[in-house]
């Protein structure tokens, strides 16, 4: 079983930065992608960014392009989401998730970390 723990959330001012971390442990299978998603109350969870386990194949939502950067430290089994130029609309709970090779969706999720951006 895989275990994901997010950290790094908190309060930031508009225009500021935060770096989220997703520590991955306990896996016994090959990971295809690691993704970041976010959700606010009453809204559907939305995709933010993803990265291939080899560190390539990055993809960003339009809302994240040019402001967020996803990266990976394979030695630490940790995926990062560097968020710059934060906006109040970035306020959400952020979740990391793992997609196994052969799966069509993300089946393993962390507990989330809250990001609040004040104007």
């Amino acid at each position: 079983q895989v275990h994901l723990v997010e950290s790094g959330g908190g309060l930031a001012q508009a225009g500021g930065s935060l770096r989220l971390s997703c520590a991955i442990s306990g896996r016994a299978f090959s990971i295809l992608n690691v993704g970041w998603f976010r959700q606010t109350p009453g809204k559907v969870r939305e995709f933010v960014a993803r990265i291939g386990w080899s560190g390539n194949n990055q993809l960003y939502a339009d809302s994240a392009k040019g402001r967020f950067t996803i990266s990976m430290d394979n030695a630490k089994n940790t995926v990062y989401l560097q968020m710059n130029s934060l906006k109040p609309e970035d306020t959400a709970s952020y979740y990391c998730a793992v997609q196994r090779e052969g799966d069509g969706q993300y089946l393993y999720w962390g507990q989330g970390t809250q990001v609040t951006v004040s104007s």
Side-chain angles (χ1 to χ4, degrees):
Q1 189 62 278
V2 66
H3 190 52
L4 295 82
V5 178
E6 302 97 334
S7 61
L11 179 64
Q13 291 188 334
S17 299
L18 285 172
R19 188 178 78 157
L20 306 183
S21 299
C22 174
I24 302 168
S25 62
R27 66 185 183 96
F29 48 78
S30 296
I31 293 174
L32 179 62
N33 294 311
V34 180
W36 282 99
F37 297 77
R38 66 187 183 186
Q39 188 171 23
T40 54
K43 293 189 177 180
V44 176
R45 184 166 51 199
E46 66 172 349
F47 169 80
V48 176
R50 66 112 155 105
I51 187 167
W53 190 244
S54 59
N56 61 359
N57 201 23
Q58 296 151 345
L59 181 68
Y60 296 91
D62 287 343
S63 60
K65 287 179 182 176
R67 300 188 301 124
F68 295 1
T69 302
I70 190 169
S71 63
M72 173 179 295
D73 185 335
N74 286 105
K76 297 181 178 179
N77 283 341
T78 299
V79 174
Y80 303 98
L81 185 68
Q82 177 67 43
M83 304 188 296
N84 299 328
S85 301
L86 284 165
K87 304 175 181 180
E89 51 262 45
D90 293 319
T91 296
S93 293
Y94 283 72
Y95 301 86
C96 65
V98 160
Q99 180 185 19
R100 299 182 304 181
E101 289 188 359
D103 286 343
Q105 56 185 319
Y106 293 84
L107 297 179
Y108 300 91
W109 295 81
Q111 82 291 346
T113 186
Q114 178 66 35
V115 170
T116 302
V117 183
S118 63
S119 57

